[in-house]
Amino acid sequence: MLALPAALTLFALVLGPSIAVLGLSFTDYRMGMSGMSWVGVENYQALTTNAGLRGSIANTLLFVLFVAPISVFGGLWVAILVAETGRLRPV
C-alpha cells in the first residue's frame, strides 16, 4: 500500500505518456488537425530513409560520449579543488 502513490505517479508522469506516444507513432496524427488514421510502420520506414537521421545519431553519440562525461568530471574536479582549499568547510 505504501508504494501505491509512487506507482500511480510513475504511471501518470512516465509510463502513461510513453504508451500514448508509442501508440500515436503508428498514426498520421498532427497537432491541431482533426482526426487521424492508422499508418502502421510507415513512419518508421520514412525515418530510416531520412538523410538527417545519421547526423542526429552522430550528434547524440558525440554528446553522450564526450560532452556529458566532460561536464560531469569537470564539475567534480572543480568541486574537489574548492574542497581542498578549505574555504567552504564548516567552522
Side-chain angles (χ1 to χ4, degrees), residues 29-60:
Y29 178 75
R30 302 230 186 244
M31 289 187 68
M33 304 292 286
S34 61
M36 63 180 148
S37 62
W38 183 263
V39 295
V41 295
E42 287 179 27
N43 290 333
Y44 292 103
Q45 289 172 342
L47 181 65
T48 59
T49 60
N50 188 340
L53 178 65
R54 185 171 292 178
S56 296
I57 291 174
N59 287 341
T60 301

